[in-house]
Amino acid sequence: MSYIIDRRLNGKKKSTVNRQRFLRRYKAHIKKAVGDAMNSRSIMDMDKGERISIPTRDISEPLFSHGNGGHTERVLPGNKEFTAGDRIPRQPPKGGDGNGGGASDSGEGVDDFVFQISQEEFLDFMFEGLQLPNMIKRRLAGNESFQVVRAGISNEGTPGRLNVIRSLRAAHARRIALTSSKRRHIRNLEESLELEEQKESALRDQRKIEALKSEINELRRRVDRVPFLDDFDLKYNLLIRQPKPRSRAVMFCLMDVSGSMNQATKDMAKRFFLLLYLFLQRSYEYTEVVFIRHHTSAKEVDEEEFFYSRETGGTIVSSALKLMRRIMQERYPDSEWNIYGAQASDGDNWNDDSSTCHRILIDDIMPHVQYYSYVEITPRDHQALWEEYESVRTLFPNHFAMEQIVDVQDIYPVFRQLFSQKVTARC
C-alpha cells in the first residue's frame, strides 16, 4: 500500500489551528510587540507584518517538581563503600542548573524565540478591542445586503431542499384520504365473511363466501394500486432573500495643516489618521470617510491629497467645522447615518476663532454626531482652543473625547483610548 505524506509548509492550512492556539497563548507578548512596532514604524509601513520575540523563560512549559529543601526518605542499595543503615549527606545545589535562557559563563546560551506574524494577524492584534462608539442607527437597505431565511414550505424546489418529514406526512395523508372508504368496506366484508364461515356446514352458503372473498381481493388490489409516494406529496423548504438592516457610518477626518504645525507634528497627525483609516477599512464594511484639510480655509480632499499634499497657511479651525457642518447637512442626514468626527491640531488658532469653534460644535455638530474625538499634538501648554473644547466635553461627556499627544510614543495608546469599546445610550 502506498502512503502520500503532505510535507508542504502549512499545506491546506493544516497547522492553522495550532498557530492560532499559539497566538492566543502568547497574546500579551504579541500585543506589546505590536504596540512597540507602531511607535517605531514609518507611515508607509504601518500595516505590515512583524517579527515577534518572546523571551525563552516565558515559553517554557509549566511543570510540577520537587523543590529544594524538605524531608525525603530514600532506600538505596549498598555497595563496597556504603552498607545498609549508612546516611548519605545531601548534595549541595549546583549553580546554573535548569533551562533558563541567556548566556552562561561557558559561552553557551539560549536565544529568545522569534517568529513572524502576517499582516492580517498584525492588524488583528493592533485593532483588537476597538470600535466606533455609540453606533446604533441601522438602516434597511433594499438591494445591497441580504440574508437567506426560511419562509415556510413550497410544492416546488430543488432536491437539496426536500423536506422529508413533510413529504412523508403528506403521502400518508393522501393514502388515508384515497383508501379509507375501501378499507372500511373491506373490514365490513371480512366481518360478513367471518360470520358466514362460522356457520354450520349445512347452513353455510359457499357461493356467498366466494363472492365475499372475490370482492375483498378486488378492493385490496385497488388499495395497493395507490402509490406510496406521489410527486404531489413532495414538499420543499422555501428559502427567500430578506433585506438585511445594516449600520452606515461616516467619519469626518479634520487635520490642521497650518504653518504652526511643523513637519514632525504633521507626521504625527498623519499617523493618527492613518491608524484611524486602517481601522475603519478593516473593521467596518459600510463606512465612508470624508477628508478635510484646513489652514485659514478648509477643503474636502481625497485620500492622496489628505496624506501627501504640502499646502499650508494660517490657522482658522472653524473653517473645517463649518465645512463639516455643510457636508453633513447636504449628504449625511443624521436620521440615516452614524456620524463621527476626528480632529487633529496643535491647538494654535486665530484670535477669537476658538469661541466660534465652541459655538459650532455645541449648536450644529454635537447634537447630530455619535462621537467626536479631538487630539492636540503639542508639547506646549494648552491654548484657548483646548479650553473651549473642555467645556464641550463637559456638556457631552459620552460623545466627546479629547487627548493630548506629545511625541510619537503617545499616538497608538491615545488612539486605543479614544476608540476602546464602550456603549452608551444617547438621552
Side-chain angles (χ1 to χ4, degrees), residues 47 99 194 236 244 290 323 353 372 381:
D47 60 341
N99 298 323
E194 185 178 0
Y236 301 88
K244 183 179 181 181
V290 177
L323 179 58
D353 188 60
Y372 193 96
D381 293 335

Side-chain angles (χ1 to χ4, degrees), residues 284-353:
Y284 296 94
E285 184 178 2
Y286 302 102
T287 301
E288 296 187 8
V289 182
V290 177
F291 295 106
I292 296 177
R293 288 167 58 95
H294 79 88
H295 36 79
T296 53
S297 62
K299 182 171 64 173
E300 182 181 0
V301 297
D302 58 13
E303 174 188 346
E304 182 73 18
E305 187 174 355
F306 184 79
F307 286 107
Y308 302 109
S309 176
R310 302 178 65 85
E311 180 184 353
T312 185
T315 310
I316 298 181
V317 178
S318 63
S319 62
L321 299 178
K322 291 177 181 176
L323 179 58
M324 175 181 174
R325 177 184 59 187
R326 180 165 61 83
I327 296 175
M328 286 169 52
Q329 294 171 349
E330 293 176 353
R331 290 152 45 186
Y332 300 103
D334 61 349
S335 59
E336 298 181 4
W337 290 82
N338 293 279
I339 303 176
Y340 294 87
Q343 179 183 0
S345 171
D346 62 347
D348 188 21
N349 197 11
W350 193 253
N351 291 335
D352 297 329
D353 188 60

Side-chain angles (χ1 to χ4, degrees), residues 143-267:
N143 56 356
E144 297 176 1
S145 179
F146 294 92
Q147 58 183 353
V148 179
V149 298
R150 296 186 62 174
I153 301 298
S154 172
N155 291 327
E156 298 179 352
T158 60
R161 295 180 181 175
L162 178 66
N163 190 315
V164 177
I165 295 177
R166 288 293 188 99
S167 299
L168 294 178
R169 188 179 298 168
H172 185 59
R174 176 184 51 80
R175 292 197 304 272
I176 291 176
L178 294 178
T179 63
S180 59
S181 60
K182 299 181 181 62
R183 293 179 186 277
R184 190 182 309 113
H185 194 189
I186 290 174
R187 286 195 296 272
N188 294 333
L189 293 176
E190 288 176 340
E191 291 176 357
S192 300
L193 177 62
E194 185 178 0
L195 292 175
E196 191 65 28
E197 289 179 339
Q198 289 177 353
K199 293 180 179 177
E200 297 292 337
S201 57
L203 300 176
R204 189 181 304 167
D205 187 351
Q206 194 62 34
R207 295 179 58 183
K208 183 178 180 180
I209 293 176
E210 294 298 330
L212 289 172
K213 288 183 177 179
S214 176
E215 188 175 1
I216 291 173
N217 292 333
E218 177 61 25
L219 288 174
R220 284 178 175 171
R221 282 194 295 270
R222 294 173 62 181
V223 170
D224 292 340
R225 282 198 294 268
V226 176
F228 178 79
L229 188 67
D230 195 271
D231 292 343
F232 179 77
D233 303 325
L234 298 180
K235 305 297 179 186
Y236 301 88
N237 294 322
L238 178 61
L239 303 179
I240 61 173
R241 298 179 67 203
Q242 189 177 71
K244 183 179 181 181
R246 59 176 173 78
S247 297
R248 292 198 305 178
V250 55
M251 173 66 74
F252 286 86
C253 297
L254 284 63
M255 183 166 64
D256 184 356
V257 293
S258 62
S260 62
M261 298 266 293
N262 57 32
Q263 190 57 44
T265 307
K266 289 179 181 177
D267 285 344

Side-chain angles (χ1 to χ4, degrees), residues 41-60:
R41 287 187 172 193
S42 66
I43 294 179
M44 301 296 295
D45 299 330
M46 292 187 72
D47 60 341
K48 302 293 178 59
E50 178 64 18
R51 287 172 61 86
I52 305 297
S53 176
I54 299 177
T56 305
R57 63 178 181 277
D58 292 334
I59 62 173
S60 60

